[in-house]
Amino acid sequence: MHEYACPTIMIDLSNRVEPAQCGRLRVLASQLMSSETTAEERHVRCEARGSLAFVTLARPKALNALTLGMVRALRPALDQCAADERVKCIVLAGEGGRAFCAGGDVRAVCEAAQAGGSSLPDAFFREEYVLNHAIATSSTPQVSVWDGIVMGGGAGLSVHGRFRVASEKALFAMPETGIGLFPDVGGSFFLSRLGNALGAYVGLTGARLGAADLLYSGLATHYVPRAALAGLEAALQRCSGETQLDAALAALGAGATPADAASPPLAQRRDAIERCFAHDTVDAIVAALDAEGGAWAEETAASLRRLAPTSLVVTLRLVREARGRPLTECLAAEFRAAQRFMEHGRSDFFEGIRAALIDKDKQPRWEPATLAAVRAADVEEYFAPLSGGRELQFLRGTLHRANSPRPLL
């Protein structure tokens, strides 16, 4: 008997339902769930249908934000899907119609780090990054359905997979500099591959990208209107290999395009982004924006001045240093930085979470408060090796080149 586990949510593959019988298929996990299954584990549903394995993030009230329990449920589920030769494709989606995944449960991580004595700040980032690497090195194609919000940890679950399907409801962002953190989950890796300036722009500003921008940048591989997503399963059944999956997704879109596909916002601003965000220091980027003039440049410069200065400097360095580095090295560097951001008294992360999610006054008091006050020696500490055997390690795996975003020419 073959089963998928999430980790105590069991899917019996010996009773696999063929595509023609799937119309009324209920989630097998709900029938086989152990009494010991935690609430967090129930937030991941796994289901086999014909040649497809469906994995659903089922925490809609929290916009499917990832918890450590969900990370621990996803890893064995995805591993077992990939190991089953009958599974030709993994489909990853979010429940609720509002979000694929709006990021990680950063408030819980913040509170654990602030209290001290908890393993959560280490375990959450460590296990999440290992999961990101496993997705990137999986030989089984993954189709992620971006039908709603995709932020932070949601990007890590999907961008490293082979296909990212955006609907007209897709909204992508890496907004971590606004909470005193940085774009992680391999963000330095995939942002650096968008192009020198564009990756820095998306990572520093937390710019929100709709479907047209996602296709333009290569972050999304296909566009399928929400109304057509009901046909996704039928379109993918019996596809074998990436070429057939690619063609099936393109056909499902039936030539549809986002409303602003003819002139995506990123394309309209591309020249200005190149002029302003190709610099290697945040100070130089802000100065270039000030010199650029115009409403977009003024608003972007003002936004950068409101974001956490240390986070901005660390983010730009991570993205710049990621150029040409393998994903494992990028994730290891991000893990070092993440653990330093978890040190209470050093990091703006706690203040960012207070202002955004606890008091919700939207008035963070960053320390230091300006870019000019950020000291190089302090920044270096975010990149220093971790002591006590805490460095992030990976099992060997080959990154499938097709999994990374297509860089713009």
PDB file of all heavy atoms in Angstrom, residues 40 71 108 127 135 153 162 232 263 327 343 351 377:
ATOM      1  N   GLU A  40      -2.501  22.501  13.238  1.00  0.00           N
ATOM      2  CA  GLU A  40      -1.644  23.040  12.191  1.00  0.00           C
ATOM      3  C   GLU A  40      -1.465  22.042  11.058  1.00  0.00           C
ATOM      4  O   GLU A  40      -1.425  22.410   9.887  1.00  0.00           O
ATOM      5  CB  GLU A  40      -0.289  23.449  12.781  1.00  0.00           C
ATOM      6  CG  GLU A  40      -0.372  24.683  13.655  1.00  0.00           C
ATOM      7  CD  GLU A  40       0.979  25.107  14.183  1.00  0.00           C
ATOM      8  OE1 GLU A  40       1.842  24.241  14.357  1.00  0.00           O
ATOM      9  OE2 GLU A  40       1.164  26.309  14.406  1.00  0.00           O
ATOM     10  N   VAL A  71       4.788  23.677   7.618  1.00  0.00           N
ATOM     11  CA  VAL A  71       6.049  23.342   6.958  1.00  0.00           C
ATOM     12  C   VAL A  71       6.377  21.873   7.180  1.00  0.00           C
ATOM     13  O   VAL A  71       6.773  21.149   6.247  1.00  0.00           O
ATOM     14  CB  VAL A  71       7.189  24.240   7.471  1.00  0.00           C
ATOM     15  CG1 VAL A  71       8.553  23.754   6.961  1.00  0.00           C
ATOM     16  CG2 VAL A  71       6.964  25.692   7.047  1.00  0.00           C
ATOM     17  N   ALA A 108       4.066  34.834  15.368  1.00  0.00           N
ATOM     18  CA  ALA A 108       4.402  33.750  16.296  1.00  0.00           C
ATOM     19  C   ALA A 108       5.905  33.625  16.461  1.00  0.00           C
ATOM     20  O   ALA A 108       6.413  33.424  17.572  1.00  0.00           O
ATOM     21  CB  ALA A 108       3.810  32.436  15.797  1.00  0.00           C
ATOM     22  N   GLU A 127      13.734  24.856   8.768  1.00  0.00           N
ATOM     23  CA  GLU A 127      12.918  23.855   8.097  1.00  0.00           C
ATOM     24  C   GLU A 127      12.202  24.426   6.879  1.00  0.00           C
ATOM     25  O   GLU A 127      11.981  23.719   5.888  1.00  0.00           O
ATOM     26  CB  GLU A 127      11.938  23.239   9.083  1.00  0.00           C
ATOM     27  CG  GLU A 127      12.655  22.479  10.204  1.00  0.00           C
ATOM     28  CD  GLU A 127      11.715  21.786  11.170  1.00  0.00           C
ATOM     29  OE1 GLU A 127      10.692  21.224  10.703  1.00  0.00           O
ATOM     30  OE2 GLU A 127      11.999  21.807  12.393  1.00  0.00           O
ATOM     31  N   ILE A 135      11.864  21.663  -2.881  1.00  0.00           N
ATOM     32  CA  ILE A 135      10.993  21.986  -4.019  1.00  0.00           C
ATOM     33  C   ILE A 135      11.835  22.282  -5.254  1.00  0.00           C
ATOM     34  O   ILE A 135      11.543  21.824  -6.365  1.00  0.00           O
ATOM     35  CB  ILE A 135      10.084  23.182  -3.666  1.00  0.00           C
ATOM     36  CG1 ILE A 135       9.050  22.759  -2.612  1.00  0.00           C
ATOM     37  CG2 ILE A 135       9.385  23.730  -4.907  1.00  0.00           C
ATOM     38  CD1 ILE A 135       8.263  23.911  -2.019  1.00  0.00           C
ATOM     39  N   GLY A 153       6.755  33.735   2.374  1.00  0.00           N
ATOM     40  CA  GLY A 153       6.843  32.288   2.365  1.00  0.00           C
ATOM     41  C   GLY A 153       6.058  31.639   1.249  1.00  0.00           C
ATOM     42  O   GLY A 153       6.412  30.550   0.788  1.00  0.00           O
ATOM     43  N   ARG A 162       8.396  24.434 -10.819  1.00  0.00           N
ATOM     44  CA  ARG A 162       8.549  24.622 -12.263  1.00  0.00           C
ATOM     45  C   ARG A 162       7.566  25.620 -12.857  1.00  0.00           C
ATOM     46  O   ARG A 162       7.935  26.461 -13.675  1.00  0.00           O
ATOM     47  CB  ARG A 162       8.410  23.264 -12.972  1.00  0.00           C
ATOM     48  CG  ARG A 162       8.503  23.364 -14.503  1.00  0.00           C
ATOM     49  CD  ARG A 162       9.859  23.923 -14.933  1.00  0.00           C
ATOM     50  NE  ARG A 162       9.906  24.163 -16.373  1.00  0.00           N
ATOM     51  CZ  ARG A 162       9.640  25.326 -16.948  1.00  0.00           C
ATOM     52  NH1 ARG A 162       9.257  26.375 -16.196  1.00  0.00           N
ATOM     53  NH2 ARG A 162       9.727  25.475 -18.249  1.00  0.00           N
ATOM     54  N   LEU A 232      -8.430  23.063 -14.651  1.00  0.00           N
ATOM     55  CA  LEU A 232      -7.004  22.757 -14.486  1.00  0.00           C
ATOM     56  C   LEU A 232      -6.759  21.255 -14.391  1.00  0.00           C
ATOM     57  O   LEU A 232      -5.864  20.719 -15.057  1.00  0.00           O
ATOM     58  CB  LEU A 232      -6.470  23.461 -13.234  1.00  0.00           C
ATOM     59  CG  LEU A 232      -4.989  23.252 -12.933  1.00  0.00           C
ATOM     60  CD1 LEU A 232      -4.126  23.907 -14.004  1.00  0.00           C
ATOM     61  CD2 LEU A 232      -4.631  23.836 -11.555  1.00  0.00           C
ATOM     62  N   SER A 263       0.834  46.782 -21.720  1.00  0.00           N
ATOM     63  CA  SER A 263       1.773  47.745 -21.142  1.00  0.00           C
ATOM     64  C   SER A 263       1.841  47.549 -19.631  1.00  0.00           C
ATOM     65  O   SER A 263       1.302  48.350 -18.860  1.00  0.00           O
ATOM     66  CB  SER A 263       1.337  49.180 -21.473  1.00  0.00           C
ATOM     67  OG  SER A 263       2.292  50.116 -21.001  1.00  0.00           O
ATOM     68  N   LEU A 327      21.522  28.081  -5.175  1.00  0.00           N
ATOM     69  CA  LEU A 327      20.460  28.318  -4.204  1.00  0.00           C
ATOM     70  C   LEU A 327      20.890  27.950  -2.796  1.00  0.00           C
ATOM     71  O   LEU A 327      20.528  28.642  -1.830  1.00  0.00           O
ATOM     72  CB  LEU A 327      19.210  27.514  -4.605  1.00  0.00           C
ATOM     73  CG  LEU A 327      18.019  27.579  -3.649  1.00  0.00           C
ATOM     74  CD1 LEU A 327      17.511  29.009  -3.502  1.00  0.00           C
ATOM     75  CD2 LEU A 327      16.902  26.651  -4.124  1.00  0.00           C
ATOM     76  N   GLU A 343      17.495  38.229  17.077  1.00  0.00           N
ATOM     77  CA  GLU A 343      18.135  38.581  18.345  1.00  0.00           C
ATOM     78  C   GLU A 343      17.535  39.870  18.880  1.00  0.00           C
ATOM     79  O   GLU A 343      17.739  40.948  18.325  1.00  0.00           O
ATOM     80  CB  GLU A 343      19.649  38.721  18.147  1.00  0.00           C
ATOM     81  CG  GLU A 343      20.323  37.401  17.754  1.00  0.00           C
ATOM     82  CD  GLU A 343      21.809  37.571  17.494  1.00  0.00           C
ATOM     83  OE1 GLU A 343      22.347  38.663  17.792  1.00  0.00           O
ATOM     84  OE2 GLU A 343      22.427  36.622  16.973  1.00  0.00           O
ATOM     85  N   GLU A 351      10.244  45.571  16.340  1.00  0.00           N
ATOM     86  CA  GLU A 351       9.538  46.844  16.201  1.00  0.00           C
ATOM     87  C   GLU A 351       8.620  46.819  14.989  1.00  0.00           C
ATOM     88  O   GLU A 351       7.498  47.347  15.022  1.00  0.00           O
ATOM     89  CB  GLU A 351      10.532  47.991  16.096  1.00  0.00           C
ATOM     90  CG  GLU A 351       9.932  49.359  15.820  1.00  0.00           C
ATOM     91  CD  GLU A 351       8.967  49.854  16.888  1.00  0.00           C
ATOM     92  OE1 GLU A 351       8.912  49.266  17.994  1.00  0.00           O
ATOM     93  OE2 GLU A 351       8.256  50.845  16.625  1.00  0.00           O
ATOM     94  N   ALA A 377      29.981  47.978  10.174  1.00  0.00           N
ATOM     95  CA  ALA A 377      30.354  46.904  11.101  1.00  0.00           C
ATOM     96  C   ALA A 377      29.127  46.160  11.608  1.00  0.00           C
ATOM     97  O   ALA A 377      29.164  44.936  11.807  1.00  0.00           O
ATOM     98  CB  ALA A 377      31.151  47.477  12.268  1.00  0.00           C
TER      99      ALA A 377
END
